[in-house]
Amino acid sequence: MYKANEPLELTLLYHWNSPPPGGYAKQVPATEMRYMPEASILELPAVPGDNYLTNLLRQRHSVRAFKNTEMPLISLAQLLDAACGISGLRQVEGHMFEGRNSPSAGGLYPIEMFVSIQAITGLSAGLYHYEPRGHGLHWVNESVPSDFIEPLLQQDYIANANALFIMTGVFMRSLHKYSTRGYRFILFEAGHQAENICLMAVELGLGRVCLGGFHDTSVNNILGIDGQRHAALYCVAVGTETSS
């Protein structure tokens, strides 16, 4: 247990006390989840069906069956760039700042991106770290997606995914400026990046599923990070969807 006497310790007080649940709660009917169910509704215009982004959003769904097939290297590059690639530079008050493809509070970019891959054309299977500034990969170790099945609560459908993206947070990058509110910003950013991966996967005709349930210590150990100043937050598995 951590004492909450400074921003990182308060962050960890919550972070390490939010493990995966030991069981599953009874499902709540959708009708009981509505906010203000008795209020009158002002109807809005119908959404145009020919909007490109709308079509992508409607095609996005969670996939839990992946084919054992190969993914082109360019697809991996596009997925990583969509998540956190550099979109340009901007000058503010005489200083140059990066722009990236997902928003970040204060432009601090606390999220690091790891990707465990297999059957990617021209790339050895294993775990890599993505470096946006060079749009390239650092080799980490030989861990492939199936090595994460047990840490990800036995979600064995990721075994044939071509890529398992793991977003991690370097807490003090945000906490030093925003104090404990920075932890929320870090989680927001992980969500932004995950959604970008999902939408690019739809564009590429690939299946995808977001995964937030895992044993923190096990995943952090595979990544080689300490789990306190730098910890795993969120995962997305991507591959070719098996036809139903």
Side-chain angles (χ1 to χ4, degrees):
M1 183 68 68
Y2 293 93
K3 295 180 180 179
N5 57 13
E6 58 95 7
L8 181 60
E9 290 185 351
L10 185 57
T11 291
L12 292 174
L13 180 65
Y14 173 80
H15 187 77
W16 283 106
N17 284 280
S18 56
Y24 292 95
K26 181 180 178 181
Q27 290 189 339
V28 179
T31 53
E32 294 183 21
M33 298 178 69
R34 287 183 58 194
Y35 177 64
M36 298 176 64
E38 305 302 325
S40 60
I41 296 176
L42 174 64
E43 292 189 8
L44 296 170
V47 176
D50 58 352
N51 181 278
Y52 184 71
L53 179 57
T54 298
N55 288 330
L56 286 182
L57 292 169
R58 287 178 175 168
Q59 292 177 64
R60 191 218 61 77
H61 62 277
S62 294
V63 169
R64 292 181 173 83
F66 295 101
K67 289 183 181 178
N68 184 8
T69 189
E70 194 165 279
M71 177 192 289
L73 181 59
I74 185 61
S75 296
L76 178 66
Q78 288 175 274
L79 290 162
L80 287 165
D81 178 72
C84 53
I86 294 177
S87 59
L89 299 174
R90 64 184 187 277
Q91 186 169 345
V92 180
E93 297 179 353
H95 299 281
M96 296 300 296
F97 293 89
E98 293 175 357
R100 296 196 186 181
N101 290 328
S102 58
S104 179
L108 299 174
Y109 305 111
I111 301 298
E112 294 292 333
M113 180 69 72
F114 292 80
V115 59
S116 173
I117 63 99
Q118 61 189 354
I120 301 285
T121 306
L123 195 60
S124 297
L127 178 67
Y128 295 83
H129 169 261
Y130 177 59
E131 175 50 70
R133 292 178 179 86
H135 186 52
L137 298 171
H138 302 135
W139 171 261
V140 178
N141 60 46
E142 296 180 347
S143 301
V144 295
S146 59
D147 293 317
F148 288 86
I149 290 175
E150 185 174 352
L152 267 70
L153 312 183
Q154 305 295 339
Q155 298 179 86
D156 57 5
Y157 45 81
I158 69 170
N160 288 329
N162 294 104
L164 177 67
F165 299 88
I166 305 118
M167 283 147 277
T168 66
V170 181
F171 296 133
M172 289 308 298
R173 287 187 193 161
S174 291
L175 300 185
H176 87 274
K177 179 176 182 179
Y178 295 113
S179 189
T180 50
R181 174 66 64 158
Y183 182 61
R184 294 195 198 185
F185 295 155
I186 294 168
L187 300 182
F188 296 161
E189 187 169 337
H192 298 325
Q193 293 194 13
E195 181 70 355
N196 283 8
I197 291 171
C198 289
L199 292 178
M200 180 56 73
V202 174
E203 169 67 14
L204 297 173
L206 297 169
R208 79 304 307 169
V209 61
C210 295
L211 304 161
F214 52 84
H215 295 298
D216 296 76
T217 299
S218 299
V219 173
N220 291 330
N221 286 342
I222 294 175
L223 301 180
I225 57 180
D226 66 15
Q228 296 193 41
R229 293 183 175 274
H230 185 188
L233 299 174
Y234 203 15
C235 305
V236 182
V238 177
T240 300
E241 182 176 3
T242 299
S243 301
S244 56

